[in-house]
Amino acid sequence: MPSKVSAPASGERRHRRSLAGHIERVLPRLVVAPSLGVALFFVYGYMLWTFLLSLTNSRMLPQYDFVGFAQYARLFANERWHVAATNLVVFGGLFIVSCLVIGLLLAIFLDQRIRQEGALRTIYLYPMALSLIVTGVVWRWLLNPGLGIQAMVRGWGFEDFTFNWLVDSDMAIYTLVIAAVWQASGFVMALFLAGLRSIDDSLFQAAALDGASLPRIYTRIVLPSLRPVVFSSVMILAHIAIKSFDLVMALTGGGPGYATDLPATFMYAHTFTRGQIGLGSASAIMMLCGVLAILVPYLYSELRGQRHG
Amino acid sequence: MANMVRRHTTSARLWRAGLYTLLIMAALVYLLPLVVMLLTSLKPLDDIRAGGLLSLPSTISFEAWSKAWGSACTGMRCNGMSGYFLNSIAIVVPAVAISSLVGALNGYVLTKWRFRGANLCFALLLFGCFVPFQVVLMPMARTLGWLGLASSTSGLVLVHVVYGIAFTTLFFRNYYVSIPDEMIAAAKLDGAGFWRIFWRILLPVSGPIITVTVIWQFTQIWNDFLFGVSFAGFDSQPVTVALNNMVNTSTGVKEYNVDMAAAMIAALPTLVVYVLAGKYFVRGLTAGSVKG
């Protein structure tokens, strides 16, 4: 928090020492102070609080008998945590790569003077307006083996068609990827489209005059200049993946068994339903570390970019 | 860019035909879940068992909608979604209003009344956009208990305001940065004070950013599930939590048409906003994430 030392006195002479002037001078800080206080307490204070809880043996209720890093040792020995962490890598990796590929392709295709571009864009992007709970409920219905896509294709005469990932503990994690990509790929498309539109057209014309083919123009000129968009997309998508909780709850409930657990659902289950607050807090801190691991390099490069720009 | 494709050759024509085919197929895939959701919600239960996902209803019936709204069971209660829908509105309206107002004032101070440490202050606030909420759940549950706000609508409003300020401040700050400081300096010379400048100069030009912020906050808070499921009581549950409970209620015959109607009800407000104000919605998404 900025110190309450009075503002630089120079240049504010009109206000002199009058009370009104004094209030006027500190008013801006007074206006921001509550927000800052809220952030210090509800964000930074809570991070510290959760960290402290992760060092305790808290079960049903928080208590403060410190046991050092024992909960972290338990966490890393916990098989369910390993499943959750592995799932996050699988889910996050596939989710990010699929969104980037689909988003980029759609953006390039849409950028070819397409009629009705606005309508198509609206269609690709609308899932982003939905709650992940709605997305989960709908896809659970589509992926229901008895009544969803599998039943529909079998009804068309392909009796052997099987698409029962939702109830297959080896494949269920991929249903999360499908639903999440459906939800977020249109958003990545919008980011890429904005990026494409900001590329100078004269670059294209020059390359075309030189006789470069369209694919060549895209791989040599367009893709490199989209690097910042790729970077921020990855960062946003990774952030969505780490926080993913709603989708799992609505689509698979973490099941079959705990085959589709993610760190977010692991944390929730242990903290609120299994009476393992210490362990749950440790997992929350690990999630925070995950976010920081993505965020810090991103901010670093952003700031460095600003200095160069 | 497309003017490079020569339009007259056959291959160019083929390329464009393929392009349109691909784009339209993709659009159909994106639309499929919404279409299925709507179709299923209008079908009688017998149609669902007999026909496929995309079969048309034999008779269009709004029974599932009225049941989802008024009498379907969520967990142990059977009052439909209506009460939870109103809960969501009671949470969203004050939370959006307060967080947007606070964000506007913060953005105003951080750009037009910069003080020493203003940048640090902004950076500290901004981190709230990134913190995984799992880190704050347990402490927040304790705090709400101490404040006597556990399981209440006001408690949820507080939570959404607290974690919404980071985004609203970001939006307004980035918008106000582009408003020339000379206008402010001139107003100060004319003797206008802090509030007057905000009211007379900043607010009149804030229309677009207010729209972006309100839409962003509305969508975020309406679609929230984590805070709702963690902090709401039976009487303050938002619509997303009720929907999840309804779908997971396993007593009696599973009425898929009612589930889908309930999902539509939960989705409609944000969908309507998206259709009506898509441009601002997209701007919020990109501003809220790229500039972060």
Side-chain angles (χ1 to χ4, degrees):
Chain A
M1 189 160 171
S3 59
K4 275 199 156 183
V5 181
S6 59
S10 60
E12 296 283 334
R13 216 164 285 157
R14 281 187 304 112
H15 290 310
R16 293 278 159 84
R17 286 253 149 230
S18 70
L19 184 64
H22 189 67
I23 290 176
E24 184 84 18
R25 224 169 38 232
V26 294
L27 192 56
R29 271 177 258 191
L30 279 180
V31 168
V32 176
S35 297
L36 194 62
V38 158
L40 288 177
F41 180 70
F42 288 98
V43 177
Y44 300 94
Y46 279 7
M47 278 160 47
L48 188 67
W49 191 343
T50 299
F51 178 65
L52 288 179
L53 280 174
S54 77
L55 302 178
T56 70
N57 210 4
S58 304
R59 289 182 185 276
M60 294 295 286
L61 287 170
Q63 42 164 313
Y64 299 92
D65 50 342
F66 290 96
V67 294
F69 287 87
Q71 297 289 8
Y72 292 87
R74 276 183 66 204
L75 188 67
F76 286 111
N78 186 318
E79 206 225 313
R80 190 170 164 180
W81 172 255
H82 278 279
V83 172
T86 315
N87 277 344
L88 179 60
V89 174
V90 173
F91 166 74
L94 285 172
F95 167 64
I96 293 172
V97 171
S98 316
C99 279
L100 285 178
V101 171
I102 293 173
L104 179 63
L105 285 178
L106 284 179
I108 291 179
F109 291 158
L110 265 188
D111 197 31
Q112 309 295 329
R113 297 212 174 158
I114 295 298
R115 256 178 267 171
Q116 297 297 324
E117 185 204 307
L120 287 168
R121 233 175 29 205
T122 307
I123 291 172
Y124 298 148
L125 194 59
Y126 85 89
M128 202 64 188
L130 300 180
S131 157
L132 279 164
I133 296 294
V134 172
T135 302
V137 168
V138 175
W139 279 94
R140 188 160 146 182
W141 170 238
L142 289 171
L143 297 168
N144 178 329
L147 295 159
I149 295 174
Q150 173 178 306
M152 182 176 72
V153 177
R154 284 188 182 177
W156 291 343
F158 303 94
E159 297 292 343
D160 296 332
F161 179 80
T162 308
F163 186 44
N164 60 353
W165 291 3
L166 196 59
V167 292
D168 180 340
S169 52
D170 289 330
M171 304 302 282
I173 186 74
Y174 302 111
T175 64
L176 292 176
V177 177
I178 295 174
V181 169
W182 174 77
Q183 171 120 8
S185 49
F187 170 48
V188 179
M189 178 276 303
L191 291 180
F192 274 122
L193 198 57
L196 284 173
R197 295 274 150 90
S198 68
I199 297 174
D200 193 351
D201 257 3
S202 60
L203 264 178
F204 277 90
Q205 274 143 16
L209 278 180
D210 284 348
S213 66
L214 202 57
R216 210 178 147 79
I217 293 177
Y218 271 102
T219 49
R220 288 296 171 84
I221 298 176
V222 176
L223 284 184
S225 63
L226 286 179
R227 257 199 18 222
V229 184
V230 174
F231 206 45
S232 43
S233 304
V234 168
M235 148 64 220
I236 299 156
L237 294 171
H239 194 222
I240 295 177
I242 292 178
K243 283 192 182 176
S244 282
F245 171 76
D246 314 10
L247 185 62
V248 183
M249 296 302 274
L251 184 57
T252 66
Y258 50 82
T260 52
D261 239 3
L262 288 181
T265 52
F266 178 97
M267 180 274 163
Y268 187 85
H270 284 80
T271 306
F272 290 104
T273 56
R274 294 169 67 102
Q276 296 282 348
I277 289 177
L279 191 65
S281 302
S283 66
I285 293 296
M286 292 313 297
M287 289 178 64
L288 178 64
C289 293
V291 169
L292 288 177
I294 299 163
L295 193 61
V296 170
Y298 174 75
L299 289 183
Y300 178 72
S301 73
E302 279 277 289
L303 292 176
R304 222 179 39 165
Q306 267 175 18
R307 213 169 298 150
H308 285 300
Chain B
M1 292 173 198
N3 47 6
M4 289 176 311
V5 182
R6 279 144 297 164
R7 281 162 187 234
H8 305 294
T9 61
T10 336
S11 70
R13 238 180 245 148
L14 270 177
W15 153 245
R16 290 201 70 77
L19 198 60
Y20 276 98
T21 317
L22 259 173
L23 285 171
I24 289 168
M25 298 248 302
L28 292 180
V29 171
Y30 279 90
L31 279 177
L32 176 78
L34 186 65
V35 171
V36 168
M37 182 159 54
L38 190 62
L39 276 181
T40 308
S41 75
L42 296 174
K43 280 183 205 173
L45 213 49
D46 292 340
D47 280 19
I48 294 176
R49 297 190 194 292
L53 269 186
L54 287 168
S55 67
L56 295 174
S58 58
T59 49
I60 289 185
S61 128
F62 290 95
E63 219 170 286
W65 281 73
S66 77
K67 183 162 188 194
W69 179 255
S71 63
C73 297
T74 56
M76 295 202 264
R77 297 184 178 197
C78 296
N79 306 326
M81 301 280 279
S82 52
Y84 305 104
F85 195 89
L86 296 179
N87 284 345
S88 274
I89 293 178
I91 295 164
V92 165
V93 171
V96 170
I98 299 172
S99 59
S100 303
L101 182 66
V102 172
L105 287 172
N106 285 344
Y108 170 49
V109 169
L110 292 174
T111 52
K112 302 301 171 209
W113 295 83
R114 301 178 57 79
F115 48 85
R116 216 159 13 128
N119 272 338
L120 177 67
C121 184
F122 179 55
L124 284 172
L125 281 179
L126 202 55
F127 187 68
C129 296
F130 299 103
V131 64
F133 292 135
Q134 279 74 19
V135 176
V136 304
L137 286 185
M138 194 64 221
M140 185 51 107
R142 302 294 281 177
T143 311
L144 289 177
W146 287 329
L147 292 174
L149 293 174
S151 308
S152 73
T153 306
S154 334
L156 280 168
V157 172
L158 174 74
V159 175
H160 284 299
V161 168
V162 162
Y163 297 107
I165 287 177
F167 281 102
T168 57
T169 302
L170 170 72
F171 287 152
F172 279 101
R173 185 216 171 249
N174 285 351
Y175 186 77
Y176 287 156
V177 147
S178 63
I179 291 173
D181 286 342
E182 290 77 28
M183 281 170 70
I184 313 298
K188 279 186 198 170
L189 277 182
D190 287 347
F194 181 86
W195 296 110
R196 208 179 151 77
I197 294 176
F198 180 65
W199 194 248
R200 287 295 178 80
I201 299 182
L202 269 295
L203 265 194
V205 297
S206 300
I209 198 61
I210 292 175
T211 317
V212 168
T213 309
V214 167
I215 288 178
W216 168 271
Q217 283 297 90
F218 173 77
T219 317
Q220 292 297 306
I221 300 174
W222 186 273
N223 289 343
D224 161 71
F225 175 74
L226 181 61
F227 288 149
V229 78
S230 305
F231 305 133
F234 279 121
D235 296 318
S236 56
Q237 273 173 357
V239 75
T240 47
V241 177
L243 173 63
N244 194 48
N245 287 343
M246 179 186 294
V247 173
N248 286 311
T249 300
S250 51
T251 45
V253 185
K254 194 84 199 109
E255 295 177 289
Y256 297 102
N257 48 357
V258 177
D259 285 357
M260 289 302 123
M264 284 296 296
I265 291 172
L268 267 181
T270 48
L271 267 185
V272 168
V273 167
Y274 170 67
V275 170
L276 291 182
K279 190 178 71 176
Y280 294 102
F281 178 81
V282 176
R283 217 186 284 171
L285 278 178
T286 46
S289 32
V290 178
K291 299 249 173 80

